[in-house]
Amino acid sequence: MDPETEDVLDVVGPRLRALRRDRGITLADLAATTGVSESTLSRLESGQRRATLELLLPLARTYNVPLDDLVGAPRTGDPRIHLKPIRRYGMVFIPLSRRPGGTQAFKMIIPAVPEPLEPTPQTHDGFEWLYVLNGRLRLVLGERDLILPPGEAAEFDTSLPHWLGSADGKAVELLILFGLQGVRSHVHPARS
C-alpha cells in the first residue's frame, strides 16, 4: 500500500471515535444501529482493524455524513469548500475545520430574537476561545455577565457554567475555537 493511502487509513479510527463521542453515542448504541459488532467498532476506532467499505457505509449512513468525511480523503480537483451548517440550541454552527479530535474551529451565528433570551448556563469538558465578528454577544460565565462588541475576544474553561446569547436581541456572528480539556489557544501579536 502506498504511503499516502496508509496515512489516510491511519486516521480513520481516531476520526470515527471523535465523531461518535461528539454525537454522544455509545459503542453499544452504534452497534445496534449499524449492525456492526461492538468489538469490531472498538477495534476499528483503536486502529486494530482496517476500515472497509462494508464497515464504513453503515457508519456514514448512521452519522449522516459523506464517506469522504469518515476517512478524511484528500480533496481532488475542485478547490471549493462545501461547509455544512449544524443547527443546535437554536443557533447555527458552521464547521471551519475538518480534523476530529484536537482543536475545532466554527463560525457561530446566534439569530435575532424579538426579546433577549434568559440565560441557561451549561458545562462540558473543554476550552473555548471566541471572537465576535458582528453584533453584541452576551457571555454569562460563572457569576460574570459580560457584553462583547465586535472585535472583542474571550477565552474560558468550559467546565465553568457558561451561556452565549445576543445582548440586544439582534443577530450575533462569532468565530469559535474549541479544544479538549487543557488545550488553549494562544494569540501572539505580529512582530515587525
Side-chain angles (χ1 to χ4, degrees), residues 2-77:
D2 69 84
E4 185 178 354
T5 302
E6 282 286 332
D7 289 345
V8 169
L9 291 176
D10 285 344
V11 298
V12 171
R15 185 180 299 275
L16 292 173
R17 177 176 283 132
L19 183 59
R20 179 179 59 78
R21 288 181 176 168
D22 182 53
R23 303 272 175 107
I25 301 172
T26 65
L27 279 173
D29 292 339
L30 188 58
T33 304
T34 62
V36 178
S37 74
E38 274 186 71
S39 65
T40 298
L41 291 169
S42 178
R43 289 192 330 264
L44 185 60
E45 287 184 0
S46 68
Q48 296 173 354
R49 177 157 184 178
R50 284 285 187 206
T52 64
L53 278 176
E54 182 180 345
L55 295 172
L56 292 176
L57 287 173
L59 291 169
R61 277 193 295 273
T62 298
Y63 292 133
N64 194 29
V65 297
L67 192 58
D68 283 357
D69 286 1
L70 293 183
V71 297
R75 303 260 180 214
T76 57

Side-chain angles (χ1 to χ4, degrees), residues 130-150:
L130 58 84
Y131 178 85
V132 180
L133 296 168
N134 291 304
R136 293 170 33 88
L137 177 71
R138 181 176 178 197
L139 170 62
V140 175
L141 184 59
E143 300 296 319
R144 300 186 75 182
D145 196 336
L146 308 165
I147 305 296
L148 283 75

Side-chain angles (χ1 to χ4, degrees), residues 93-151:
F93 298 84
I94 303 168
L96 302 175
S97 60
R98 299 176 49 88
R99 193 183 90 194
T103 302
Q104 300 293 311
F106 297 91
K107 178 176 181 184
M108 180 178 165
I109 301 169
I110 301 171
V113 291
E115 292 184 29
L117 300 174
E118 187 63 33
T120 53
Q122 304 290 320
T123 63
H124 51 86
D125 288 335
F127 210 85
E128 196 164 301
W129 178 90
L130 58 84
Y131 178 85
V132 180
L133 296 168
N134 291 304
R136 293 170 33 88
L137 177 71
R138 181 176 178 197
L139 170 62
V140 175
L141 184 59
E143 300 296 319
R144 300 186 75 182
D145 196 336
L146 308 165
I147 305 296
L148 283 75

